[in-house]
Amino acid sequence: MSIQTSNHKRSERKAHLPFGEKREGRLYGKPILSVLQFSRDDLEEIFMVAEEMRMMVERVGTFDLLKGKVLACLFYEPSTRTSSSFIAAIERLGGSAIPINEVRYSSVTKGESLPDTVRTLEAYADVIVLRHPETGAAATAAKYLRKPIINAGDGTGEHPTQALLDLFTIREELGRIDGLTVTMLGDLKYGRTVHSLARLLALYNAKLNYVAPDLLRMPPKIIEELKQRGISQTEHKALDDVLGATDVLYVTRVQKERFENPDEYESVKNAYTITPDTMTRAKEQMVLMHPLPRVTEIAIEVDDDPRAAYFRQMEYGLYVRMALLAMVLGKA
Ligand code: CP
């Protein structure tokens, strides 16, 4: 079959919707690959829908907005929050999930390629969520699919849905994003969450501070990209240089699994630890965030500080991912 014939049949299929099916919206049918695809209007719409999801979960728990829809959750790397929150999201919306959290038990171990694996799942599911160790893997997979795919982390590249929930957290906790000073701390080189978050914050005129050891500095490509967009950015080695002026302190884990040289990891693994003493030097209204999992970079004694938002942040992720699923499937 020629490609033209195949595409023609696909568009015919899309044109015939089941009776009563309403499909619209700016994210409908689109892959979510990078935060660079979002405008500020997109973000406001996502946050508005996420607020509605929060209200509905608090009021009724589960409801049938996506009844009959199937999500395939394909994870080539470990995950607790992203995989389980996507599965919880589809199930709270009345749909169901195919969870493949251990690709070693799938046909990937027989040598099946990523394009073949995602095309298989597309036959069974309406939307695919993919985490993969290679930067650009979700974008590659999207080329083989006619249904939406959501990037749940591609190597050291991006983690767009994490950045969306991070921004939603800031908005919920502080009531605004514009004009805030956000300090990112830790592994800014390999930490994909900070790559995505810095790019999204550029839409809000935030001031960005990067605090990291030399080995783990924010990639020059991202600094240059944001410089071109007129964003104020500074780099530091000591947190105390900027702590007192920080509205949001975003702490990251040193990503042990990304280091080629174990000695390098050993030299930076304990570069920073947030303790109750650190918090005494921070603003009273500061928000302390972390995408989690944490290892040693935030002491557990900090968890009871009302500024520690990282467990609330995880919960906001459920509402944002419910919103995204409803929007890409044309139901929000
Ligand atoms: N924040 C985050 O991506 O967590 P998981 O690796 O547990 O999904």
Side-chain angles (χ1 to χ4, degrees):
M1 187 192 294
S2 74
I3 290 170
Q4 280 91 342
T5 310
S6 163
N7 284 341
H8 176 64
K9 288 203 165 167
R10 284 174 194 162
S11 59
E12 269 185 347
R13 248 197 321 261
K14 277 194 173 172
H16 290 91
L17 299 175
F19 178 73
E21 194 88 333
K22 184 173 162 238
R23 293 184 181 176
E24 55 189 30
R26 60 174 92 222
L27 294 187
Y28 167 53
K30 290 191 183 152
I32 295 179
L33 303 175
S34 162
V35 292
L36 293 174
Q37 74 191 76
F38 296 120
S39 67
R40 215 171 136 141
D41 284 348
D42 291 328
L43 298 179
E44 290 309 315
E45 194 171 321
I46 293 166
F47 298 153
M48 196 179 68
V49 178
E51 292 281 7
E52 286 172 18
M53 296 299 176
R54 180 184 190 173
M55 206 172 62
M56 289 298 283
V57 169
E58 285 169 0
R59 199 178 286 169
V60 297
T62 301
F63 50 105
D64 280 345
L65 189 68
L66 295 183
K67 187 174 164 60
K69 298 293 181 192
V70 178
L71 163 81
C73 223
L74 177 62
F75 279 61
Y76 288 72
E77 284 187 337
S79 168
T80 299
R81 278 144 291 274
T82 313
S83 61
S84 51
S85 63
F86 265 114
I87 291 169
I90 192 82
E91 291 186 353
R92 283 192 178 274
L93 290 166
S96 57
I98 303 169
I100 304 183
N101 288 330
E102 284 281 5
V103 287
R104 68 187 154 164
Y105 297 123
S106 75
S107 287
V108 169
T109 51
K110 300 175 200 162
E112 188 162 59
S113 67
L114 178 64
D116 284 3
T117 302
V118 292
R119 281 182 291 200
T120 304
L121 291 173
E122 181 181 50
Y124 311 136
D126 301 289
V127 54
I128 296 171
V129 173
L130 174 71
R131 173 170 289 184
H132 197 279
E134 282 168 31
T135 301
T140 302
K143 291 185 189 146
Y144 294 87
L145 298 171
R146 60 191 160 77
K147 291 180 183 168
I149 183 165
I150 300 176
N151 178 4
D154 59 339
T156 58
E158 280 217 38
H159 194 347
T161 69
Q162 177 71 43
L164 292 170
L165 78 88
D166 290 340
L167 214 56
F168 185 69
T169 301
I170 296 171
R171 193 173 173 272
E172 293 295 299
E173 296 283 321
L174 293 177
R176 69 190 171 99
I177 303 167
D178 276 315
L180 294 178
T181 296
V182 179
T183 297
M184 298 180 179
L185 174 83
D187 187 348
L188 309 186
K189 178 180 180 184
Y190 298 120
R192 56 195 172 201
T193 67
V194 283
H195 303 163
S196 293
L197 182 59
R199 286 172 164 149
L200 272 194
L201 284 165
L203 293 171
Y204 289 84
N205 296 315
K207 180 179 186 310
L208 300 182
N209 300 317
Y210 307 132
V211 182
D214 273 338
L215 268 178
L216 302 177
R217 287 172 60 195
M218 183 64 92
K221 177 174 174 272
I222 293 181
I223 295 181
E224 185 55 32
E225 185 186 310
L226 268 60
K227 190 174 158 198
Q228 296 300 325
R229 293 166 70 181
I231 303 305
S232 164
Q233 306 167 91
T234 63
E235 288 192 274
H236 307 266
K237 288 201 186 102
L239 175 59
D240 276 338
D241 288 355
V242 290
L243 181 60
T246 294
D247 299 302
V248 177
L249 178 57
Y250 192 97
V251 181
T252 61
R253 174 179 67 89
V254 177
Q255 310 265 303
K256 183 180 182 182
E257 63 276 26
R258 310 278 180 216
F259 284 76
E260 283 175 11
N261 179 348
D263 292 340
E264 286 195 351
Y265 169 72
E266 289 298 321
S267 73
V268 290
K269 70 176 183 186
N270 292 320
Y272 306 99
T273 304
I274 305 299
T275 64
D277 180 58
T278 317
M279 297 301 280
T280 63
R281 298 191 294 283
K283 284 187 183 179
E284 269 182 35
Q285 300 302 320
M286 191 191 80
V287 176
L288 178 62
M289 296 172 62
H290 192 308
L292 302 179
R294 76 169 149 189
V295 189
T296 56
E297 56 280 357
I298 301 180
I300 55 168
E301 293 78 18
V302 177
D303 294 357
D304 292 332
D305 189 307
R307 294 167 289 184
Y310 30 93
F311 295 122
R312 296 191 291 277
Q313 188 179 347
M314 287 192 303
E315 186 186 324
Y316 294 134
L318 172 67
Y319 311 131
V320 169
R321 288 177 175 136
M322 287 173 77
L324 286 173
L325 290 178
M327 291 172 84
V328 298
L329 292 171
K331 293 285 197 168

